[in-house]
């Protein structure tokens, strides 16, 4: 969704000694974004990841294709969402997915979101989650995890050729 980017108008007189605000402890900020932002983490994960899947369909022009959601069970205790969008290319993974506040959704009002936070909601419930994505005949499997820095890391576990669709 298009965000209102309102920039303040500042007038100063003369040269001032200025400094930018910054973040001293990124781990602490990421911990706040992960653990303090959602009052119902499971609901947030379901909402945010399913909206991202729906937006992936919108991105490739197939908004009416259903997203596949698999709920956890005793035999398979995993929540899975499968979309048929563009997939998450290695470039998109590095420059959008793992970057807080990075988003591909700020240029239209058709997609939901645009803040670059939703894809990280699984961290509000767990210190690890996995991603399987297919892009142009290559399946990528990633592990996302929180380490001792509390910043979070992404590890490519493997990549294999596949006949699966993006």
């Amino acid at each position: 969704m298009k965000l209102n980017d309102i920039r303040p108008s500042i007038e100063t007189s003369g040269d001032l000694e200025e400094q930018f605000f910054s973040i001293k402890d990124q781990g602490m900020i990421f911990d706040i974004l992960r653990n303090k932002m959602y009052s119902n983490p499971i609901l947030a994960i379901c909402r945010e990841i399913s909206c991202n899947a729906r937006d992936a369909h919108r991105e490739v022009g197939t908004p009416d294709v259903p997203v596949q959601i698999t709920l956890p069970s005793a035999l398979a205790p995993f929540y899975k969402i499968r979309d048929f969008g563009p997939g998450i290319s290695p470039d998109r993974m590095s420059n959008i997915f793992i970057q807080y506040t990075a988003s591909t959704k700020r240029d239209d009002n058709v997609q939901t979101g645009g803040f670059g936070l939703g894809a990280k909601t699984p961290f509000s419930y767990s210190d690890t989650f996995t991603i399987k994505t297919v892009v142009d005949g290559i399946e990528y499997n990633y592990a996302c995890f929180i380490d001792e820095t509390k910043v979070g890391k992404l590890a490519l576990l493997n990549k294999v050729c596949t006949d699966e669709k993006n």
Side-chain angles (χ1 to χ4, degrees):
M1 93 181 132
K2 291 185 180 180
L3 303 177
N4 284 338
D5 189 18
I6 300 170
R7 308 245 176 194
S9 175
I10 305 295
E11 290 185 34
T12 61
S13 58
D15 291 330
L16 302 174
E17 184 176 320
E18 300 176 332
Q19 298 180 45
F20 282 101
F21 282 84
S22 63
I23 297 173
K24 177 76 172 173
D25 185 346
Q26 285 185 335
M28 176 184 265
I29 294 298
F30 290 154
D31 186 57
I32 290 168
L33 289 172
R34 285 190 298 266
N35 298 312
K36 311 287 189 281
M37 197 160 68
Y38 302 106
S39 61
N40 186 335
I42 293 173
L43 177 64
I45 293 165
C46 295
R47 178 187 61 241
E48 297 293 339
I49 305 304
S50 62
C51 283
N52 285 351
R54 183 186 62 192
D55 285 343
H57 287 199
R58 290 174 173 172
E59 184 177 340
V60 298
T62 58
D64 296 328
V65 173
V67 170
Q68 297 175 355
I69 299 177
T70 305
L71 299 176
S73 68
L75 297 176
F78 305 103
Y79 178 69
K80 297 180 184 179
I81 296 182
R82 171 77 158 106
D83 66 62
F84 301 94
I88 306 171
S89 68
D91 180 66
R92 185 177 270 199
M93 187 63 79
S94 296
N95 294 305
I96 303 294
F97 189 92
I98 67 168
Q99 301 290 324
Y100 281 80
T101 72
S103 179
T104 61
K105 302 178 184 183
R106 293 192 186 135
D107 292 329
D108 68 52
N109 281 322
V110 175
Q111 297 184 72
T112 305
F115 297 104
L117 302 174
K120 292 81 166 170
T121 55
F123 280 137
S124 68
Y125 185 73
S126 176
D127 287 343
T128 63
F129 64 95
T130 59
I131 300 166
K132 172 185 164 184
T133 186
V134 176
V135 180
D136 301 332
I138 300 175
E139 175 185 306
Y140 300 88
N141 289 284
Y142 295 94
C144 302
F145 58 96
I146 304 299
D147 65 357
E148 63 279 352
T149 67
K150 295 197 268 182
V151 173
K153 289 184 178 177
L154 174 84
L156 175 62
L157 302 175
N158 72 335
K159 64 181 183 177
V160 295
C161 293
T162 183
D163 292 333
E164 284 189 66
K165 294 181 180 180
N166 287 3

